[in-house]
Amino acid sequence: MQLQASKARALSLSLSLSVLKITVLHAFPAPCGADLGHLISKKGKMIKICCIGAGYVGGPTMAVIALKCPLIEVAVVDISAARIAAWNSDQLPIYEPGLDEVVKQCRGKNLFFSTEIEKHVSEADIIFVSVNTPTKTRGLGAGKAADLTYWESAARMIADVSKSNKIVVEKSTVPVRTAEAIEKILTHNSKGIRYQILSNPEFLAEGTAIQDLFNPDRVLIGGRETPEGQKAIKTLRDVYAHWVPEDRIICSNLWSAELSKLAANAFLAQRISSVNAMSALCEATGADVSQVSHAIGKDTRIGPKFLNASVGFGGSCFQKDILNLVYICECNGLNEVANYWKQVIKVNDYQKNRFVNRVVASMFNTISGKKIAILGFAFKKDTGDTRETPGIDVCKGLLGDKAHLSIYDPQVTEDQIQQDLSINKFDWDHPIHLKPMSPTSVRHVNVVWDAYEAAKDAHGLCILTEWDEFRSLDFQRIFDNMQKPAFIFDGRNIVNGNKLRDIGFIVYSIGKPLDPWLKNMPAMA
Ligand code: NAI
């Protein structure tokens, strides 16, 4: 059945490729923008794209461009040799459903992963920059402002090695008006070369990245409102037009594009914090957050998506981008606006603390020396990404109360978990070889490769990621092998609390009416 489905997918992909080739040959528009008109005259010359940064964004986005535009040569470059080696192997550096298939179809044809950064940058017509933009940990704006070190070094390198006009595309999420700074770096070192800077923020969601890239809600391209700027916008627009319907490609000025990315993430995170705030009130009043979400989501002005209560949001972007937004507001003297967005993060932290407190309070106010099973460590299902995962804060909270943890996640390695639990806040967002080393493995943390093994002899079990496989576990078997009373704390509302109670568990599900046991053991956040 699965084989048939994948064959059907492969067939439809190869059909769409052959159609694309025809479209491309006849209708591929001339690149323009930073005066790339020379390409028109050289018939048959491939347009070259180079992407600096082979991460969660650079890798998948460029693979999809290569797949959809067979006449464009795409090189993805990175300073991390290990990452590039992984992109060139059978074990890609990131787990993303559908990614393997896409990469295998074009790698070595018109998609290349390389550490020869300068060569590919100098040959490219369009350069995407998709490098880390971490939160600053020191100096001015520490804890909030975006650290543009990697961006600036990429821009200086582009200026150093370029011998022809270029379109430089901001793919990383950057503070509003970053393009202006980049423009200054490039033009001050330009040697007569002309650059156009575009902002083309990425809206993909990890776990569904390939689906999102194939069928985006929108592609946003911001550029200068000059004839050259508009030409550059058109060049990039024409790349996306190979597969994205024209009406979904939105063009704007540079600052709107840059700010829209921060605004989109702030709105999405705000929705999660809103429903999570509601979940606390549900527990206090006997309401059921799933029923409340269902009822309010039916309002077409609100809509049903992003209304699942959980242990908190994670991922590399939400917190970082909101902090960045807060900093920009403060820099512009907009303190009330800054405080408004800060609250989204505060509620997220509150939700994680509340969960930990609930675990501790339920288990007689002490988890010292008790084994707690942790199911799921990635920040959401279908990704191995653990950046800012709520699992980090929850596990640190439980360890702070002296619990012994046994952690299982289907996609996250032991090394990754140990590193996440020992690294300082914000220190994760750097190229691999520049990350501070984690000292030793964290005490009282055991990482296992099986949910049943994790739960064996445990006093409590916490579900922190909504992996599908957790829904169909044999909970009777788990119960039989746990200490009694056996507790389940469902941080994602994916298991049926009533069925688990019938087995004998004491169950806590976020935002659901509380078991009598839990009511008598209130957890103050
Ligand atoms: P990542 O950490 O997975 O990848 C960044 C890559 O850039 C690393 O492999 C690093 O080695 C490389 N790099 C850094 N400086 C470099 C340089 N000077 N030259 C060559 N390579 C360099 O990060 P990710 O997740 O791909 O994010 C990149 C940007 O995209 C960030 O600004 C992020 O906020 C943004 N973004 C991320 C999304 C996500 O879901 N991960 C979604 C939308 C935007």
Side-chain angles (χ1 to χ4, degrees):
M1 192 71 179
Q2 239 181 0
L3 204 65
Q4 271 176 350
S6 68
K7 270 188 189 161
R9 261 200 313 277
L11 183 66
S12 84
L13 216 54
S14 72
L15 280 176
S16 64
L17 264 179
S18 50
V19 171
L20 256 174
K21 264 185 189 154
I22 295 165
T23 325
V24 166
L25 282 170
H26 294 289
F28 188 77
C32 43
D35 196 14
L36 298 174
H38 60 289
L39 292 177
I40 316 166
S41 56
K42 296 182 186 171
K43 261 196 178 166
K45 183 185 186 296
M46 265 194 173
I47 291 183
K48 289 193 176 176
I49 287 180
C50 175
C51 176
I52 306 176
Y56 284 85
V57 170
T61 47
M62 292 304 122
V64 169
I65 289 182
L67 181 76
K68 299 291 187 182
C69 310
L71 287 192
I72 296 181
E73 187 181 297
V74 182
V76 191
V77 297
D78 204 291
I79 38 175
S80 163
R83 216 165 204 187
I84 291 298
W87 280 109
N88 282 319
S89 74
D90 286 338
Q91 194 69 48
L92 300 185
I94 60 174
Y95 171 70
E96 195 60 63
L99 177 64
D100 271 40
E101 239 178 12
V102 175
V103 170
K104 274 182 194 146
Q105 290 204 47
C106 27
R107 193 174 55 193
K109 292 181 190 147
N110 67 329
L111 174 67
F112 303 92
F113 295 94
S114 170
T115 47
E116 288 185 276
I117 303 180
E118 298 187 357
K119 170 183 177 291
H120 288 288
V121 165
S122 91
E123 288 174 359
D125 306 298
I126 304 173
I127 302 164
F128 286 83
V129 184
S130 184
V131 299
N132 318 61
T133 48
T135 305
K136 275 183 88 170
T137 47
R138 288 158 160 233
L140 186 66
K144 279 182 270 189
D147 177 349
L148 293 178
T149 307
Y150 302 114
W151 234 109
E152 183 171 339
S153 92
R156 287 182 186 279
M157 185 268 300
I158 295 171
D160 284 347
V161 306
S162 291
K163 295 187 189 71
S164 57
N165 297 343
K166 312 274 183 213
I167 294 174
V168 177
V169 184
E170 293 175 341
K171 200 59 167 161
S172 302
T173 305
V174 290
V176 60
R177 295 200 85 88
T178 295
E180 201 167 45
I182 301 303
E183 218 167 49
K184 281 184 185 144
I185 293 170
L186 292 172
T187 49
H188 275 78
N189 300 287
S190 80
K191 301 169 283 189
I193 292 162
R194 288 182 15 230
Y195 297 96
Q196 277 301 319
I197 322 291
L198 297 179
S199 164
N200 172 221
E202 185 48 60
F203 294 103
L204 67 78
E206 285 176 32
T208 54
I210 296 300
Q211 213 175 298
D212 296 343
L213 289 164
F214 276 5
N215 190 21
D217 288 340
R218 80 307 208 180
V219 166
L220 177 58
I221 306 173
R224 284 280 185 197
E225 289 159 308
T226 57
E228 296 78 20
Q230 295 302 302
K231 248 173 139 187
I233 289 181
K234 184 174 179 316
T235 304
L236 188 56
R237 192 190 166 98
D238 290 340
V239 171
Y240 284 108
H242 281 86
W243 79 97
V244 181
E246 294 271 344
D247 62 349
R248 292 208 203 153
I249 306 177
I250 305 171
C251 300
S252 72
N253 75 27
L254 269 170
W255 325 128
S256 306
E258 289 178 337
L259 185 56
S260 296
K261 174 63 192 176
L262 297 181
N265 274 351
F267 272 59
L268 289 169
Q270 176 209 45
R271 229 171 128 93
I272 298 177
S273 279
S274 297
V275 77
N276 282 344
M278 235 9 113
S279 74
L281 188 56
C282 286
E283 286 167 31
T285 57
D288 179 329
V289 75
S290 304
Q291 294 174 358
V292 173
S293 292
H294 181 67
I296 62 175
K298 285 285 176 194
D299 186 326
T300 50
R301 293 167 302 176
I302 297 173
K305 291 186 182 164
F306 258 62
L307 283 181
N308 289 331
S310 70
V311 61
F313 62 73
S316 64
C317 296
F318 282 178
Q319 173 168 289
K320 168 168 82 97
D321 293 352
I322 293 178
L323 289 171
N324 188 350
L325 187 67
V326 165
Y327 184 67
I328 296 168
C329 292
E330 286 172 354
C331 289
N332 283 285
L334 304 171
N335 290 331
E336 284 75 9
V337 184
N339 288 337
Y340 174 77
W341 289 112
K342 253 188 222 166
Q343 203 57 30
V344 172
I345 294 177
K346 279 193 184 165
V347 168
N348 198 46
D349 289 339
Y350 165 77
Q351 189 76 345
K352 291 180 274 189
N353 284 336
R354 214 165 68 75
F355 187 86
V356 172
N357 292 348
R358 190 62 88 179
V359 174
V360 181
S362 314
M363 298 169 80
F364 315 102
N365 241 358
T366 175
I367 52 171
S368 178
K370 289 181 184 167
K371 177 175 173 180
I372 310 238
I374 303 290
L375 298 194
F377 197 77
F379 83 94
K380 65 172 175 175
K381 74 170 182 176
D382 292 338
T383 176
D385 194 355
T386 58
R387 296 177 293 179
E388 289 296 339
T389 177
I392 296 175
D393 286 338
V394 170
C395 287
K396 282 184 174 172
L398 297 173
L399 288 167
D401 243 296
K402 299 189 181 160
H404 293 191
L405 304 183
S406 187
I407 306 177
Y408 165 65
D409 186 289
Q411 285 296 334
V412 186
T413 62
E414 175 165 10
D415 278 359
Q416 187 63 56
I417 291 173
Q418 292 287 358
Q419 189 183 72
D420 289 336
L421 292 177
S422 50
I423 210 165
N424 288 332
K425 202 169 168 61
F426 302 130
D427 274 352
W428 50 267
D429 197 1
H430 296 272
I432 299 167
H433 60 290
L434 298 178
K435 258 182 219 170
M437 295 296 287
S438 45
T440 46
S441 55
V442 179
R443 285 183 70 214
H444 302 316
V445 172
N446 190 24
V447 178
V448 295
W449 277 103
D450 178 63
Y452 299 103
E453 181 62 28
K456 193 163 179 290
D457 295 324
H459 292 257
L461 181 155
C462 301
I463 300 175
L464 300 186
T465 313
E466 72 281 24
W467 285 104
D468 288 337
E469 68 176 69
F470 299 158
R471 293 175 194 270
S472 52
L473 288 171
D474 179 349
F475 281 101
Q476 182 66 57
R477 180 179 158 198
I478 287 178
F479 180 80
D480 291 344
N481 289 313
M482 281 177 70
Q483 307 274 351
K484 309 295 176 319
F487 296 84
I488 287 197
F489 304 91
D490 183 1
R492 297 285 180 166
N493 284 342
I494 58 165
V495 290
N496 183 327
N498 288 335
K499 280 194 183 150
L500 296 181
R501 282 182 196 104
D502 289 346
I503 292 174
F505 283 105
I506 294 158
V507 184
Y508 166 70
S509 307
I510 290 226
K512 303 272 186 174
L514 295 175
D515 282 11
W517 178 290
L518 299 165
K519 265 191 200 152
N520 296 331
M521 299 196 166
M524 302 301 287

